[in-house]
Amino acid sequence: MAADSMEIDDSLYSRQRYVLGDSAMHQMARSSVFLSGMGGLGIEIAKNIVLAGVKAVTLHDTKQCETWDLGCNFFIHKEDVLSQKRRVEAVCPRVAELNPYVHVDVSSSALDDNTDLSFFGKYQCVILTEARLSLQKRVNHFCHSHQPPIKFIGCDAYGICVRVFCDFGEEFEVSDPTGEEPKEIFIQSITQDNPGVVTCMDNQPHGLQTGQSVVFREVNGMVELNGTARPISVFSPHSFAIGDTSQLQPYAHGGFFVLVKTPKTYRFETLERQLCDPQLLTPDFSKPEAPLQIHAAMLALDTFQEQHSRLPNTGCSQDAEVLLKLTEEVNATLRNKFYLDAIEVVRPLQSVAAEEFSPRGDRYDGLRACIGESMCQELHKLRVFMVGCGAIGCEMLKNFALLGVGLASSSGEVFITDPDLIEKSNLNRQFLFRPHHIQKPKSTTAAEATLEINPDLQVDARLNKVCPATESIFNDSFYSRLNLVVTALDNVEARRYVDSRCLSNQRPLLDSGTMGTKGHTEIIVPNLTESYNSHRDPPEEEIPFCTLKSFPSVIEHTIQWARDKFENLFAHKPSMYNSFWQTHPSAEVVLQRMQLGESLEGSFQVIKLLSKRPNKWEQCITIGRLKFEKYFKRKALQLLHCFPLDTRLKDGSLFWQSPKRPPAPIDFDLNDCLHFSFIVSTARLFAGIYNIPYSEKDVTEEEVTRLLSDVKIPEYRPSEKCIETNESAKKPDSMKLPLSSEEEREAITQLEQAIATDNVTAERLQVSPLQFEKDDDANGHMDFVTAASSLRARMYAIEPADRLKTKRIAGKIIPAIATATAAVAGLVALELVKVVGGYEFESFKNCFFNLAIPVVVLTEPAQVKQSLIRDNIYFSIWDCWTIFGHEDFTLSDFINAVREKYGIEPTMVVHGVKMLYVPVMPGHSKRLKLTMQKLIKPSVDRRYVDLTVSFAPEADGDDDLPGPPVRYFFSRKGETP
């Protein structure tokens, strides 16, 4: 971001803008930050704030690079240690290249109790890491007293415990306390009473809290409410009171309300005051006492450092006794402070010999001090498969490198895969990538960058998507060589598939995801926890077809309509056109077959496209003008023809009432920039698919005006077509709609004319479909979607969205910031250590956090359920029974084998969606004599199938009892898939 002009580089910051908003982005671009301490914690903070786009950062540190740093600082390399570089000098250029908009400088001056702190006056935020408590207090007091106050953050990380302290002054205003986008909620009714009660339409939950305020719009009848903000009292999840409405006009119909965002002022206290009376966040409610205990222990550690000018030595019992005594003294004397621990990582290691934790002079000494040498070796031997190399993937690879996961010398390996290429918008969060990497594969580039952090890793980078189509690559043999799987994905469907493969192959899965300031991690361990597929979020509500086509009520509807138009006009129809002519390369043969009465799928639509295909730029402009007339004038006229404004339903209520909005036809006006944008963007896209050249002059207002003066607009005549009003109706498939005889004759005539006028050449039977690309502002895609959506919104009197919001919704962009991404990756790394150590169920933690509030919640994962079949026969989702057959093995043999091996006889056998054996089905009893190979054809690359079996209930009339999948091997040699 250019701080001087305050222009936000959307191609870089778009995902972050959706999280923080432009006001916060501009404030950051004016802010200078002082960051002290270039250890593991300091470099992590430096990375995140530079990626975020502050104006300037001063990196401060006085230490030299040591071997220890290689295990926690990803920007210090081995050559920096050998050349005895200062840490700050080693990391500065590497931090600076993360973001060209941020000025990064360095300081290696002493910062201690004698330093004149007045230089802090030029900074808006001061962050101290690796600083003694006395210095933190002194700097915090200076920042708190300064006018205006300088934001102060003090933080420390000691192995498995971390603390963060914030002081943003005595009057710190937060303009948006939650960060949630307010929704428009439609109104069912408002009572004329004291208090008046508002009820939401269709029992939609309002999500409000007593004391908040809402503003009303488009209310009919009780019009005095429109534009006013009213404080509310919640009555139920679907209703609330708004004060006295008894003197207002009676409510008639319609209207909606929106939450009013109210700024909130927070008062922060100094570190000195907070140490005595701390306000602590509790992230793990299974151990509510932990934050206060860690608070006491860390204060004792601070005292130890003040007294001895060093930290306690690893494995030194004398230092441990001193620290314990200091902790007891601090505890006897006992807000804005956050402590997080991972005690579960070390609790099982208490019986391990002290020598395990002793330093050995390598990059893993810091890690070894936490988990011991044996666990370090297990990490080195690990074989991990990570799916996805985006934001979370980059952070995970950094953690793998620092932890020494998958070292070549220990026969370990990290497999990664991602089919995507690097885009500029990735650089804001995916810190392993730089501008010169744009359009290179994510996986191979990330692998190279990871080896720069730790050259000893063995990384196998692939470009394949993980899905059913690639099971020949990521097959059972591949999974059998793995210790665990990590997902770094951005969609539920892919997670579900990877989870099913881990379940089938009995492999642990570590999943995580972010949405803006929110993040979650989920740990899935064979035979201990439920799987990802064990819980299902409610499916995302689809917008009804009739709402999109004719009755939009909110801006999301018009944006989706515009996005669908793009897909239909510039992707789907051109692809269908190419596919048809590839299948039927001769237009003459197509004509003959149609003349003989043969129905060819898609022929009507394809011939229509062929006959109307433009040859030159002015024809593309004409198409744009005709599309405008069709979408924004004739559509409205047709709707009002079918449903005049006074139309009433059978119950006497008005047809056009909330949420239905009556459209208003739009007359074309070239002086309206939105009209001009729609015409030009539409013409450009049609020129693109039909490979028609145009110049910069062709898109000027003067030239477009000249071309439009020749366009003849046919007179509007109402159609008698039926308009769909049923919300449950699905969109019809135009390819499969039966053609009328008139349409068939029209298509034949059009094709005859095309052939007769030599318009059927190889070039004209080929077009170039477009693939929607939201991040390229030069391609015109977002120009079309924004103009089309805004015009439709205007037609229906819906408040339009700006280009940024339109891009987020149309492109299904997930808002994201680097901080949340780094947090989930760190939490996943903790769980990885526990998996490698074979820890018990109680040690594992799932996490949900929202950094905006802030909330951090650690919980135990869902424990695996044991389901009773009957007679003390249980199974869980992780169980898979196995039966080995041979070439002559029959279905009857299979059923008998299950009964003999597992003590219960199947009554139904299903393979996928095919029912192999259901006794009540006609002819199924004859199948018992058929061989399994005849009933199920084995695939070439897999010598087994997973069958679903059911068992007879204990009582007649009950449903059949489910059981675990039964894996049937066609031969003994398939035992090891």
Side-chain angles (χ1 to χ4, degrees):
M1 183 171 4
D4 299 331
S5 65
M6 286 295 110
E7 284 184 14
I8 298 173
D9 184 350
D10 191 59
S11 62
L12 177 65
Y13 290 115
S14 63
R15 279 40 171 189
Q16 182 174 292
R17 285 179 81 179
Y18 296 124
V19 182
L20 302 179
D22 285 3
S23 175
M25 292 283 291
H26 285 141
Q27 245 178 306
M28 282 202 305
R30 291 191 291 265
S31 299
S32 297
V33 179
F34 181 88
L35 171 59
S36 177
M38 287 296 103
L41 179 57
I43 199 65
E44 186 68 38
I45 296 169
K47 165 179 68 76
N48 292 336
I49 60 178
V50 169
L51 288 173
V54 296
K55 178 183 178 181
V57 179
T58 298
L59 304 178
H60 171 264
D61 195 88
T62 58
K63 298 178 181 177
Q64 282 190 334
C65 297
E66 297 180 16
T67 303
W68 171 290
D69 291 313
L70 298 175
C72 58
N73 189 318
F74 46 86
F75 278 160
I76 290 179
H77 299 164
K78 197 170 183 179
E79 56 268 26
D80 301 323
V81 178
L82 295 174
S83 61
Q84 296 186 320
K85 261 191 183 179
R86 287 185 180 273
R87 294 199 304 189
V88 72
E89 291 168 358
V91 303
C92 178
R94 292 158 193 160
V95 171
E97 69 175 2
L98 289 171
N99 193 336
Y101 293 116
V102 180
H103 176 72
V104 181
D105 60 11
V106 302
S107 168
S108 52
S109 305
L111 181 60
D112 54 32
D113 294 341
N114 300 314
T115 304
D116 179 1
L117 301 182
S118 59
F119 75 95
F120 281 138
K122 66 180 180 180
Y123 297 101
Q124 282 69 48
C125 181
V126 172
I127 306 169
L128 298 187
T129 71
E130 301 184 350
R132 292 187 180 177
L133 188 61
S134 58
L135 180 62
Q136 290 189 44
K137 289 179 186 178
R138 182 168 178 253
V139 173
N140 175 225
H141 183 267
F142 176 87
C143 293
H144 191 91
S145 306
H146 192 272
Q147 290 302 322
I150 301 167
K151 281 70 178 175
F152 173 82
I153 301 172
C155 42
D156 297 287
Y158 295 115
I160 56 162
C161 297
V162 298
R163 68 177 171 193
V164 181
F165 170 79
C166 301
D167 177 2
F168 299 158
E170 296 191 4
E171 290 187 355
F172 181 70
E173 185 179 273
V174 177
S175 57
D176 182 355
T178 66
E180 301 294 334
E181 187 175 358
K183 293 181 180 177
E184 296 178 359
I185 310 272
F186 287 98
I187 296 166
Q188 184 74 47
S189 64
I190 307 175
T191 62
Q192 193 180 19
D193 206 345
N194 186 11
V197 176
V198 179
T199 303
C200 304
M201 183 169 284
D202 299 329
N203 278 335
Q204 188 175 352
H206 51 64
L208 301 172
Q209 296 175 3
T210 296
Q212 291 180 320
S213 296
V214 298
V215 65
F216 291 88
R217 296 197 179 105
E218 299 182 17
V219 174
N220 290 282
M222 203 175 279
V223 293
E224 298 95 330
L225 288 178
N226 288 327
T228 65
R230 293 253 181 160
I232 66 108
S233 297
V234 172
F235 271 20
S236 77
H238 320 291
S239 63
F240 55 88
I242 56 169
D244 190 359
T245 59
S246 60
Q247 302 305 309
L248 306 183
Q249 297 179 62
Y251 173 79
H253 63 83
F256 62 89
F257 61 86
V258 183
L259 172 69
V260 177
K261 288 280 187 179
T262 307
K264 189 173 180 180
T265 301
Y266 292 85
R267 183 177 182 274
F268 287 79
E269 292 182 344
T270 62
L271 180 58
E272 187 80 61
R273 293 192 62 174
Q274 279 290 305
L275 288 174
C276 302
D277 182 22
Q279 292 177 337
L280 304 174
L281 291 173
T282 304
D284 188 347
F285 290 98
S286 68
K287 46 182 187 183
E289 73 291 341
L292 201 55
Q293 291 174 346
I294 299 167
H295 177 65
M298 281 198 165
L299 287 182
L301 195 60
D302 292 322
T303 306
F304 186 100
Q305 286 191 82
E306 297 289 346
Q307 292 177 356
H308 300 274
S309 298
R310 63 175 175 83
L311 287 168
N313 289 319
T314 304
C316 177
S317 57
Q318 188 177 352
D319 282 0
E321 286 174 15
V322 172
L323 187 63
L324 185 61
K325 187 178 179 183
L326 287 171
T327 305
E328 289 169 352
E329 290 172 3
V330 169
N331 214 22
T333 64
L334 291 171
R335 298 177 322 201
N336 303 348
K337 226 167 176 59
F338 174 63
Y339 285 91
L340 182 66
D341 72 85
I343 298 293
E344 294 80 12
V345 171
V346 299
R347 191 170 284 146
L349 304 174
Q350 292 178 33
S351 58
V352 175
E355 304 82 60
E356 281 268 324
F357 305 95
S358 300
R360 304 190 178 201
D362 64 13
R363 66 164 68 220
Y364 304 111
D365 275 353
L367 177 65
R368 189 176 290 111
C370 295
I371 63 174
E373 172 63 12
S374 296
M375 281 283 281
C376 285
Q377 290 299 326
E378 291 302 314
L379 288 172
H380 301 340
K381 292 188 289 187
L382 212 55
R383 298 176 68 83
V384 181
F385 180 34
M386 187 176 75
V387 188
C389 296
I392 295 174
C394 285
E395 295 288 343
M396 283 308 310
L397 284 170
K398 170 201 71 181
N399 293 342
F400 291 163
L402 296 176
L403 292 169
V405 169
L407 299 190
S409 59
S410 301
S411 301
E413 191 161 10
V414 176
F415 301 90
I416 58 176
T417 189
D418 195 313
D420 291 345
L421 302 180
I422 297 161
E423 305 287 347
K424 186 178 179 181
S425 63
N426 300 148
L427 304 183
N428 175 238
R429 303 168 318 287
Q430 301 171 24
F431 85 102
L432 295 181
F433 307 142
R434 302 290 178 269
H436 62 270
H437 292 140
I438 290 171
Q439 289 305 300
K440 290 185 177 179
K442 284 187 176 181
S443 61
T444 53
T445 308
E448 291 169 9
T450 305
L451 292 175
E452 286 186 18
I453 300 172
N454 189 342
D456 299 331
L457 256 66
Q458 176 92 348
V459 185
D460 181 346
R462 307 186 184 192
L463 307 176
N464 311 98
K465 188 176 181 180
V466 180
C467 60
T470 57
E471 279 192 24
S472 59
I473 299 168
F474 304 115
N475 51 26
D476 291 334
S477 177
F478 173 80
Y479 279 93
S480 70
R481 300 196 303 271
L482 302 174
N483 299 109
L484 62 86
V485 178
V486 176
T487 50
L489 295 162
D490 60 0
N491 69 90
V492 171
E493 184 184 352
R495 284 189 176 100
R496 293 202 183 284
Y497 174 73
V498 174
D499 176 72
S500 69
R501 297 293 288 138
C502 289
L503 189 73
S504 176
N505 289 278
Q506 303 274 307
R507 290 295 176 265
L509 173 65
L510 303 176
D511 178 60
S512 60
T514 67
M515 170 75 81
T517 58
K518 299 173 185 172
H520 78 271
T521 62
E522 183 172 2
I523 172 79
I524 295 149
V525 185
N527 303 307
L528 291 183
T529 71
E530 292 286 89
S531 76
Y532 183 85
N533 282 303
S534 300
H535 55 82
R536 286 187 176 271
D537 294 329
E540 196 175 318
E541 283 188 30
E542 284 190 6
I543 304 170
F545 167 65
C546 70
T547 300
L548 277 180
K549 189 169 176 62
S550 306
F551 307 112
S553 56
V554 293
I555 193 62
E556 286 80 3
H557 297 165
T558 73
I559 293 172
Q560 187 59 52
W561 174 86
R563 178 71 181 81
D564 289 349
K565 282 294 174 204
F566 179 96
E567 200 64 27
N568 188 48
L569 292 173
F570 310 117
H572 173 67
K573 282 183 177 178
S575 297
M576 174 191 72
Y577 186 89
N578 286 346
S579 178
F580 182 89
W581 292 118
Q582 285 165 7
T583 309
H584 310 286
S586 169
E588 288 79 8
V589 173
V590 169
L591 178 61
Q592 289 172 10
R593 291 172 68 177
M594 291 179 71
Q595 288 171 333
L596 293 172
E598 191 174 341
S599 178
L600 300 178
E601 189 175 288
S603 58
F604 176 71
Q605 290 87 352
V606 166
I607 293 168
K608 190 176 178 183
L609 288 173
L610 176 66
S611 66
K612 294 186 175 182
R613 175 174 180 147
N615 298 313
K616 45 193 178 179
W617 171 249
E618 43 264 51
Q619 292 173 325
C620 295
I621 289 287
T622 300
I623 292 174
R625 176 66 183 89
L626 294 174
K627 291 292 183 190
F628 182 99
E629 194 73 11
K630 176 183 177 181
Y631 295 153
F632 309 119
K633 185 170 183 178
R634 298 191 173 207
K635 176 67 180 179
L637 292 170
Q638 184 63 37
L639 273 166
L640 295 173
H641 169 75
C642 295
F643 306 106
L645 291 175
D646 58 356
T647 303
R648 292 189 178 271
L649 301 171
K650 289 178 182 177
D651 62 2
S653 60
L654 283 168
F655 177 84
W656 292 109
Q657 65 170 313
S658 185
K660 282 191 177 72
R661 298 168 176 268
I666 299 177
D667 290 318
F668 181 72
D669 178 6
L670 191 53
N671 293 321
D672 189 313
C673 62
L674 206 53
H675 297 205
F676 178 79
S677 177
F678 177 82
I679 298 294
V680 171
S681 61
T682 305
R684 285 183 61 202
L685 297 178
F686 273 112
I689 62 173
Y690 292 119
N691 304 308
I692 296 171
Y694 60 90
S695 65
E696 283 188 26
K697 177 178 176 289
D698 289 331
V699 298
T700 61
E701 188 173 344
E702 183 182 354
E703 181 63 15
V704 172
T705 303
R706 186 186 70 77
L707 294 175
L708 286 173
S709 64
D710 297 330
V711 178
K712 300 291 185 289
I713 305 298
E715 184 186 345
Y716 166 70
R717 289 183 182 154
S719 165
E720 297 310 314
K721 278 185 178 178
C722 179
I723 292 177
E724 184 62 72
T725 59
N726 182 1
E727 290 194 357
S728 61
K730 301 294 181 186
K731 182 179 180 179
D733 187 344
S734 59
M735 295 277 285
K736 295 179 180 174
L737 288 174
L739 293 179
S740 65
S741 56
E742 184 183 339
E743 288 173 325
E744 287 178 351
R745 285 195 300 273
E746 183 185 348
I748 290 170
T749 303
Q750 288 174 340
L751 187 54
E752 286 174 337
Q753 289 174 349
I755 293 171
T757 54
D758 292 328
N759 272 338
V760 185
T761 62
E763 281 185 1
R764 290 182 65 84
L765 298 185
Q766 183 73 27
V767 295
S768 303
L770 302 179
Q771 187 171 357
F772 182 66
E773 175 46 65
K774 57 192 176 292
D775 287 321
D776 181 358
D777 285 340
N779 63 18
H781 297 190
M782 278 309 304
D783 294 340
F784 172 84
V785 172
T786 303
S789 168
S790 299
L791 284 165
R792 189 166 173 86
R794 186 183 293 180
M795 185 170 95
Y796 283 96
I798 297 169
E799 189 173 338
D802 61 18
R803 184 186 181 94
L804 189 68
K805 181 175 180 179
T806 303
K807 177 177 170 179
R808 174 174 65 81
I809 296 171
K812 293 182 168 49
I813 291 175
I814 300 173
I817 53 173
T819 319
T821 307
V824 295
L827 290 162
V828 167
L830 286 174
E831 301 307 309
L832 180 144
V833 173
K834 298 174 193 175
V835 170
V836 171
Y839 288 14
E840 297 294 322
F841 172 79
E842 292 75 17
S843 298
F844 295 108
K845 297 290 178 181
N846 290 344
C847 182
F848 169 80
F849 63 76
N850 185 348
L851 301 177
I853 302 179
V855 164
V856 181
V857 180
L858 294 161
T859 60
E860 284 187 353
Q863 194 161 10
V864 66
K865 295 183 181 72
Q866 294 288 336
S867 300
L868 173 67
I869 303 176
R870 67 174 191 216
D871 302 331
N872 291 321
I873 301 174
Y874 291 86
F875 76 97
S876 79
I877 57 168
W878 295 101
D879 288 316
C880 180
W881 294 354
T882 54
I883 298 295
F884 295 93
H886 48 75
E887 193 176 342
D888 300 322
F889 207 74
T890 65
L891 178 58
S892 179
D893 292 334
F894 171 80
I895 291 171
N896 291 336
V898 173
R899 185 186 65 243
E900 289 170 14
K901 188 171 182 180
Y902 296 104
I904 190 165
E905 182 173 326
T907 53
M908 185 165 72
V909 183
V910 178
H911 176 226
V913 295
K914 182 182 178 183
M915 293 185 175
L916 299 182
Y917 178 64
V918 182
V920 296
M921 297 284 283
H924 273 220
S925 58
K926 295 178 182 176
R927 294 186 176 183
L928 292 170
K929 296 178 182 178
L930 297 177
T931 65
M932 296 294 281
Q933 285 207 0
K934 188 164 187 176
L935 285 167
I936 314 161
K937 189 168 183 179
S939 60
V940 176
D941 58 334
R942 189 181 285 182
R943 294 301 302 165
Y944 70 84
V945 289
D946 286 335
L947 303 174
T948 303
V949 296
S950 300
F951 305 99
E954 294 188 77
D956 291 340
D958 289 352
D959 292 336
D960 281 359
L961 303 169
V966 178
R967 183 162 291 180
Y968 173 71
F969 291 90
F970 290 94
S971 63
R972 273 279 167 189
K973 67 180 180 183
E975 188 167 348
T976 305

